[in-house]
Amino acid sequence: MSERTQRVGRPRDPGKDHAVLVAARRLLADVGYQQTTIAAIVRRAQVSAPAIYRRWPTREALIEEAVHGPGRYDLPADTGDLRADLATWARAFLVRAASPAARAGVPGLLSDMQADADRSRLLARQAPVRDAFVARLDRAAQTGEVPGPVDASILFEILTGATSIRGLTQGYADAEAFVESLTDALYTLACRGVAAASETKASHS
């Protein structure tokens, strides 16, 4: 068996992956985005630079995973209570956005995100979460929790935008009050937005 075949077939060490991501998160919180370099992560995680580049193609891709997770999410369960579920979604998004790593890393990532590949990677990371949120709102319409179909994509944009801005600018300050207010807004839009759309349609018929 050739050396190249052995290298390709070697399984990734999840312990090393974890050490690198933890090191990146701690560096973001301790020294900020610009100083969270591959060299600094190598020293903090006690791994080699080639080991990092075998796992992540760029520094930005590594920091993105450290901030946002590996793309596998523990999504909120459908409890049958839409308002309670919206609160769970809002709280989960705020917790992620308000973490020290996110507050240090997200502005830098957005500033450095110039290539189409970077934007495509971020959209692909969000897709399963968006799909799950849309499916929850679709079920709400089907089961009568809301009076009709909901433009769940718009609600998802409101959820992500509001929690991101709040978390990045204010962290966890007054978190529960914010979650309650955002939940009220999302729930009202889910319920009343349908009625408003129906009234608009009727007025043009």
Side-chain angles (χ1 to χ4, degrees):
M1 183 179 294
S2 69
E3 180 182 350
R4 181 180 184 277
T5 302
Q6 289 178 338
R7 184 167 58 251
V8 171
R10 185 186 303 135
R12 284 175 56 163
D13 180 354
K16 191 169 292 186
D17 290 12
H18 178 72
V20 169
L21 293 171
V22 169
R25 291 187 197 105
R26 290 178 177 171
L27 282 166
L28 285 167
D30 292 345
V31 300
Y33 177 79
Q34 295 298 335
Q35 300 304 315
T36 303
T37 61
I38 293 297
I41 295 169
V42 163
R43 291 192 295 272
R44 181 72 66 96
Q46 297 185 333
V47 301
S48 67
I52 288 177
Y53 284 117
R54 281 197 295 270
R55 292 161 168 79
W56 295 277
T58 64
R59 166 182 173 268
E60 290 73 27
L62 191 168
I63 292 177
E64 185 179 306
E65 183 167 335
V67 169
H68 295 297
R72 298 183 299 274
Y73 300 95
D74 294 325
L75 298 170
D78 181 350
T79 66
D81 181 339
L82 179 60
R83 194 188 183 289
D85 291 348
L86 288 173
T88 300
W89 279 87
R91 191 173 293 106
F93 273 53
L94 180 62
V95 166
R96 185 179 293 272
S99 71
R103 298 185 74 185
V106 168
L109 286 171
L110 292 175
S111 175
D112 287 348
M113 194 175 291
Q114 303 295 328
D116 288 341
D118 294 330
R119 289 186 285 270
S120 297
R121 186 176 63 246
L122 184 59
L123 289 173
R125 183 181 296 278
Q126 285 187 340
V129 184
R130 178 188 296 268
D131 291 347
F133 184 82
V134 170
R136 177 64 186 93
L137 270 294
D138 287 346
R139 286 193 297 274
Q142 292 164 7
T143 59
E145 289 183 272
V146 294
V150 178
D151 191 343
S153 293
I154 294 297
L155 292 187
F156 185 79
E157 296 298 333
I158 294 170
L159 169 67
T160 56
T163 52
S164 294
I165 292 172
R166 179 72 178 212
L168 292 176
T169 59
Q170 299 188 43
Y172 296 113
D174 298 321
E176 283 307 309
F178 170 78
V179 167
E180 285 297 314
S181 296
L182 179 57
T183 300
D184 286 341
L186 292 171
Y187 187 71
T188 298
L189 287 170
C191 294
R192 301 291 297 173
V194 175
S198 299
E199 292 168 3
T200 301
K201 184 178 179 181
S203 69
H204 287 88
S205 61

